[in-house]
Amino acid sequence: MLSHSEILSVLEMLRDEHLDLRTVTLGVSLLNCASDDLKRFNDKIYDRIVHKAEHLVRTCDLIGEKYGIPVVNKRVSISPIAVAAAPFSSEQMVAVAQTLDRAAHTVNVDFIGGFSALVEKGIAAGDRALIDALPQALTHTERVCASINVASTRAGINMDAILLMGRRIKEAAEMSAAKDGIACAKLCVFANIPQDIPFMAGAYLGIGEPDAVINVGVSGPGVVKKAIDRALEGSPALDLQQLSELIKRTAYKVTRAGELIGREVAERLGVPFGVVDLSLAPTPNVGDSVGEIFQSLGIVNIGMPGSTAALALLNDAVKKGGAFASSNVGGLSGAFIPVSEDLNISESARAGHLCLEKLEAMTSVCSVGLDMVALPGDTSAETLAAIIADEMAIGVINRKTTAARLIPVPGKRAGDNAYFGGLLGESVIMPVNNASGANLFVKRGGLIPSPIQSLTN
């Protein structure tokens, strides 16, 4: 049970520390819309999404006002389109993406996720069509997000799919060159993708999920930072175990608030409540940065020695506190370190304290991976694939989710700035080792076999 002082601290979070619910995501199954007629399929998925999500935004706003906790983003996730629209060609897949975008505008959600394929063990015809459609689909839509799972601990790493993704990412960046390759900001490549992520760009509704479901993602970097600062102001000699306990208790309170709202939204919409994702999600705003938590812990700039250990402490404490607060934990659940979306992390990259290799090392202990990383425009498709393969290997061997959201910014070089706007933020373009060199390893293709720890039955 919370003490009186902890109840007061929740009130402070609401009043002074901008506690909000980062996202409420309504999952909608589209599998019963399957058809081999494109117009019929598009009509059915549009009607179903609009019918299911027509009250989502208003309901979130009403409940947010009731509790004084704003719901920042309202989103929809759908069944993987490569499955639901398997009969269609890549050109037809683009038309499907445009229908999804139209539905998202109609119900006024920020993003719709699920333009997705699961190809960790092989690429079916529908998967290939969807992957080939990605550059056009993401360039010619505003709110559609895509995710491709190319690896899993049980299946191994599909290097054919990874090389294909390197090429499609390159094409998507070039098609949206006028906006610094923003199409790539809506595309994640995953290993061990969960079926219930509420956050974009990875959200989709898994095959084993209900017909419709509400999943929520909490916020909290600013709240955690303020809690640490307050505690150290009163007791400067607190050690790391004590700080871990403090973060854990803070995560507990934030999670309880998130679940309260999520459950009420689900009840009013008449759908089951799914999960709370415990991830600490930053924004490009001052006071809402994961990087600032590092400073409060004593690391001057994220990326300096000690950063990986600090992130491991933070990630573990958040999970422990959240797990105690909710029996329905899912999604990614950890600390995000997206470069452009976190002001402090972006500044560390700009100052040279954080390089791509250190970022990759840190992803071994956090959720989710190389996120919103702007790279030189001349980075080859093979080098992009190799970076993705490295990140997938971390996830597969460690039996965790990892992802890569890479943006080769056309016409720009390392040290230049890339601007994506809104929550996507801006970032310095990070240098890449061997950006223009050949990489025969990724060209060999095939499947990197699953590791021995996959034999768990």
Side-chain angles (χ1 to χ4, degrees):
M1 180 180 292
L2 294 179
S3 65
H4 287 98
S5 63
E6 286 174 318
I7 292 173
L8 289 174
S9 76
V10 173
L11 295 176
E12 286 183 7
M13 290 178 188
L14 297 173
R15 188 187 61 203
D16 300 327
E17 298 165 10
H18 311 295
L19 174 64
D20 56 44
L21 191 61
R22 184 53 48 85
T23 181
V24 170
T25 301
L26 172 66
V28 179
S29 173
L30 299 183
L31 296 182
N32 62 352
C33 301
S35 170
D36 59 1
D37 181 279
L38 180 61
K39 182 178 185 311
R40 182 174 172 80
F41 179 75
N42 278 334
D43 289 345
K44 290 174 76 173
I45 63 172
Y46 177 85
D47 291 344
R48 180 161 173 76
I49 293 167
V50 171
H51 172 68
K52 286 288 183 182
E54 61 180 333
H55 301 303
L56 175 65
V57 172
R58 177 165 170 74
T59 301
C60 290
D61 289 342
L62 287 174
I63 296 175
E65 289 173 12
K66 174 181 175 182
Y67 292 104
I69 303 177
V71 179
V72 179
N73 299 294
K74 302 89 175 176
R75 296 163 172 172
V76 169
S77 65
I78 54 173
S79 309
I81 287 297
V83 176
F88 301 127
S89 67
S90 60
E91 292 77 13
Q92 292 171 317
M93 287 287 187
V94 175
V96 172
Q98 291 169 330
T99 300
L100 297 175
D101 199 48
R102 190 160 52 91
H105 278 87
T106 300
V107 297
N108 197 29
V109 293
D110 306 285
F111 286 114
I112 183 166
F115 198 73
S116 304
L118 312 174
V119 295
E120 59 270 20
K121 207 168 183 178
I123 304 176
D127 303 324
R128 169 73 69 166
L130 183 134
I131 292 173
D132 287 344
L134 285 171
Q136 286 204 51
L138 296 177
T139 300
H140 299 303
T141 60
E142 182 186 358
R143 303 186 185 186
V144 174
C145 291
S147 55
I148 310 295
N149 194 66
V150 299
S152 75
T153 300
R154 294 302 297 262
I157 304 173
N158 187 341
M159 292 300 293
D160 292 323
I162 287 178
L163 183 57
L164 190 58
M165 287 308 301
R167 291 169 178 162
R168 297 299 170 261
I169 289 172
K170 190 80 175 167
E171 292 169 13
E174 289 167 356
M175 282 190 181
S176 55
K179 296 183 177 179
D180 281 349
I182 196 169
C184 301
K186 299 184 289 176
L187 170 61
C188 269
V189 183
F190 273 92
N192 294 322
I193 186 172
Q195 300 189 27
D196 51 11
I197 306 172
F199 289 106
M200 296 297 173
Y204 82 104
L205 186 71
I207 302 298
E209 293 287 306
D211 191 55
V213 65
I214 286 288
N215 296 318
V216 304
V218 298
S219 176
V223 174
V224 171
K225 173 187 160 41
K226 289 287 180 61
I228 295 172
D229 290 345
R230 264 198 310 269
L232 289 174
E233 193 175 328
S235 305
L238 286 176
D239 65 19
L240 293 176
Q241 185 169 349
Q242 292 168 313
L243 289 172
S244 172
E245 179 67 18
L246 173 73
I247 296 169
K248 188 173 73 175
R249 294 178 74 85
T250 304
Y252 168 82
K253 289 178 277 188
V254 170
T255 304
R256 292 297 287 175
E259 179 158 339
L260 172 71
I261 293 179
R263 285 191 179 279
E264 188 153 341
V265 170
E267 183 179 346
R268 292 201 186 187
L269 292 178
V271 301
F273 176 75
V275 301
V276 182
D277 186 315
L278 306 177
S279 301
L280 287 182
T283 71
N285 301 324
V286 174
D288 203 20
S289 161
V290 170
E292 289 175 315
I293 299 174
F294 281 65
Q295 292 177 329
S296 294
L297 289 172
I299 293 176
V300 177
N301 291 291
I302 187 170
M304 295 174 66
S307 297
T308 307
L311 185 56
L313 180 154
L314 174 63
N315 210 42
D316 182 66
V318 167
K319 287 185 178 183
K320 286 175 177 171
F324 185 56
S326 174
S327 299
N328 299 81
V329 173
L332 298 169
S333 292
F336 291 168
I337 48 172
V339 178
S340 72
E341 295 178 0
D342 185 305
L343 181 62
N344 190 277
I345 295 176
S346 178
E347 287 302 318
S348 286
R350 191 184 313 281
H353 301 299
L354 182 64
C355 64
L356 189 62
E357 289 75 17
K358 181 63 175 178
L359 195 62
E360 180 186 301
M362 294 173 67
T363 64
S364 65
V365 298
C366 83
S367 300
V368 64
L370 296 172
D371 198 12
M372 289 301 291
V373 180
L375 301 173
D378 63 355
T379 305
S380 68
E382 289 76 19
T383 297
L384 291 171
I387 295 170
I388 294 170
D390 285 344
E391 191 60 34
M392 299 301 104
I394 289 173
V396 167
I397 297 298
N398 292 290
R399 290 191 286 185
K400 68 187 288 291
T401 301
T402 54
R405 190 159 45 151
L406 308 176
I407 309 164
V409 183
K412 293 194 175 179
R413 299 179 295 179
D416 292 343
N417 285 331
Y419 300 91
F420 307 113
L423 275 178
L424 299 176
E426 62 180 87
S427 172
V428 69
I429 295 173
M430 301 177 76
V432 175
N433 184 14
N434 193 31
S436 59
N439 194 318
L440 296 179
F441 175 75
V442 297
K443 288 184 176 179
R444 295 187 189 281
L447 187 75
I448 294 179
S450 57
I452 188 67
Q453 61 260 44
S454 67
L455 301 177
T456 55
N457 288 333

